Amino acid sequence: MSFSKDNVIGFGLALSSSGFIGASFIIKKKGLWKAGTSGVRAGHGGYTYLFEPLWWLGLFMMIVGEVANFVAYAFAPAILVTPLGALSIIVSAVLAHFMLKERLNKLGFLGCVMCIVGSVIIVVHAPKEHSVTSVQEIWNMATQMAFLLYVGSVLVLVSILVLYFAPLCGHSNVLVFTGICSLMGSLSVMSVKALGISLKLTFEGNNQLLYPETWFFTVVLLTCVITQMNYLNKALDTFNTVVVSPIYYVMFTTLTILASVIMFKDWDGQDGAAIISEICGFIVVVLGTILLQMTKEVMEKLPSFKAGLCAGNSDFLKCDWDDVENPEEVLLSRQYSYT
């Protein structure tokens, strides 16, 4: 792919977008932690984080990153911009290691790599976007029967996840909250494309703001973004960041590509080798997600295991506290051993 001036601009915007979004995960989680000490945690339905400046800083960084990503699509093709979103995972993992002391073992690292590789394979082999010249054209694509069935399926799945699975296992299964974010995110991207085309054509002199379709896509986008923010906060406050970030990226990318394939009929005319490559990439993504879920379970059990070792040691005062992630558990378990 030859790099024109527009491609260079889009490439730079996509890189900066990944940096801002990756850092926003960490800043927001630190804000959620701080807010949780003075009120009900977001993971349990609380909204005290709205009064925490650190959380707003993280939100601002995420908005900047999303805006940069949105503008990048106006300059560079999706096949160049979309894979760079994986860099936000790397940024989050590195910052989480130093700022949140969240350790990622070798199994988790392998899962991250598999998720990134699988997502890149899917995106690289995805067909190029069809040229769209007006918001009415996108409206016609959005109202075709196949895509309406997809939208209906998304709304049904989100309703089931919100009303049934979220109260039942939302705080024990990372796929619930991230699934809601990803499903709604696939619809928000379709709306972003519509708005991007509208604004681009408007700046070129063909005003698209006069059409009601433009404002309909705006309402859909706002609704999806608000839903994503709410459940992303719950996911970040409940689970490890190095687990949430890759899974959210993988599910969001996969569903977005699926929505684009249905809406724009991208697989029409594509050769079998490319389609098989995309399916193989999806399998790699699934395996990587399983490894990340296994890593989450191991990391949750490890602190209690270490605490038990230290508490049961006769040389309690000689225990290496630097190796214990939750020393409070050791002290409590030791206290109860005397009662």
Side-chain angles (χ1 to χ4, degrees):
M1 181 182 296
S2 59
F3 271 67
S4 63
K5 181 179 179 181
D6 285 348
N7 280 357
V8 172
I9 295 175
F11 180 76
L13 288 170
L15 284 179
S16 62
S17 171
S18 296
F20 277 108
I21 293 176
S24 72
F25 276 94
I26 309 304
I27 301 300
K28 287 178 67 179
K29 183 157 189 175
K30 287 184 72 70
L32 290 170
W33 280 3
K34 189 174 181 180
T37 61
S38 59
V40 181
R41 296 178 58 181
H44 296 280
Y47 294 93
T48 55
Y49 61 84
L50 294 176
F51 302 96
E52 176 54 49
L54 200 59
W55 182 86
W56 284 104
L57 175 61
L59 178 63
F60 174 76
M61 294 178 68
M62 176 169 284
I63 293 174
V64 172
E66 293 294 348
V67 170
N69 190 63
F70 172 77
V71 178
Y73 278 103
F75 288 92
I79 199 170
L80 171 65
V81 177
T82 306
L84 294 177
L87 295 178
S88 63
I89 299 175
I90 300 175
V91 174
S92 293
V94 172
L95 292 179
H97 179 85
F98 292 103
M99 297 179 64
L100 303 180
K101 307 301 180 184
E102 295 180 354
R103 302 295 185 252
L104 188 65
N105 59 27
K106 293 181 180 179
L107 188 64
F109 177 78
L110 177 60
C112 287
V113 172
M114 292 179 65
C115 288
I116 294 173
V117 171
S119 299
V120 170
I121 291 175
I122 293 175
V123 174
V124 167
H125 290 89
K128 293 183 178 180
E129 245 179 65
H130 296 299
S131 177
V132 181
T133 58
S134 68
V135 70
Q136 293 96 331
E137 187 176 346
I138 289 187
W139 178 258
N140 292 334
M141 295 178 180
T143 54
Q144 59 184 316
M145 183 57 64
F147 188 70
L148 288 177
L149 289 175
Y150 174 80
V151 173
S153 300
V154 167
L155 296 179
V156 170
L157 287 174
V158 169
S159 299
I160 294 175
L161 288 173
V162 170
L163 299 177
Y164 180 75
F165 285 101
L168 181 66
C169 57
H171 294 87
S172 60
N173 192 326
V174 69
L175 299 179
V176 176
F177 292 151
T178 53
I180 296 172
C181 296
S182 303
L183 286 166
M184 297 302 290
S186 66
L187 299 183
S188 68
V189 170
M190 300 300 104
S191 300
V192 164
K193 289 183 179 180
L195 291 177
I197 292 173
S198 298
L199 293 176
K200 185 177 180 180
L201 292 175
T202 299
F203 291 144
E204 291 175 351
N206 184 7
N207 192 356
Q208 299 292 304
L209 301 180
L210 301 176
Y211 299 99
E213 293 86 351
T214 300
W215 299 106
F216 174 82
F217 284 122
T218 302
V219 173
V220 172
L221 177 60
L222 292 175
T223 302
C224 292
V225 168
I226 291 173
T227 304
Q228 286 176 264
M229 289 296 100
N230 183 34
Y231 284 94
L232 182 58
N233 287 331
K234 293 179 182 291
L236 288 173
D237 193 47
T238 306
F239 302 101
N240 197 305
T241 307
V242 296
V243 175
V244 173
S245 299
I247 292 179
Y248 174 62
Y249 168 77
V250 168
M251 295 179 67
F252 170 76
T253 302
T254 302
L255 289 171
T256 297
I257 292 175
L258 177 61
S260 182
V261 166
I262 296 174
M263 185 170 177
F264 294 97
K265 301 186 182 299
D266 292 328
W267 277 357
D268 289 358
Q270 192 175 21
D271 58 45
I275 296 177
I276 292 175
S277 297
E278 293 171 24
I279 295 175
C280 290
F282 178 74
I283 294 174
V284 174
V285 166
V286 171
L287 294 176
T289 303
I290 293 174
L291 284 178
L292 284 169
Q293 182 68 12
M294 293 172 59
T295 301
K296 169 186 169 293
E297 295 175 357
V298 171
M299 293 177 69
E300 287 178 347
K301 295 177 181 179
L302 187 59
S304 297
F305 175 73
K306 288 182 176 181
L309 287 179
C310 289
N313 191 345
S314 59
D315 296 328
F316 174 70
L317 296 178
K318 296 180 180 179
C319 181
D320 188 358
W321 296 103
D322 291 336
D323 292 334
V324 179
E325 294 181 4
N326 292 315
E328 296 84 359
E329 295 184 12
V330 180
L331 295 173
L332 288 174
S333 61
R334 188 64 177 178
Q335 178 181 354
Y336 292 140
S337 67
Y338 286 110
T339 58

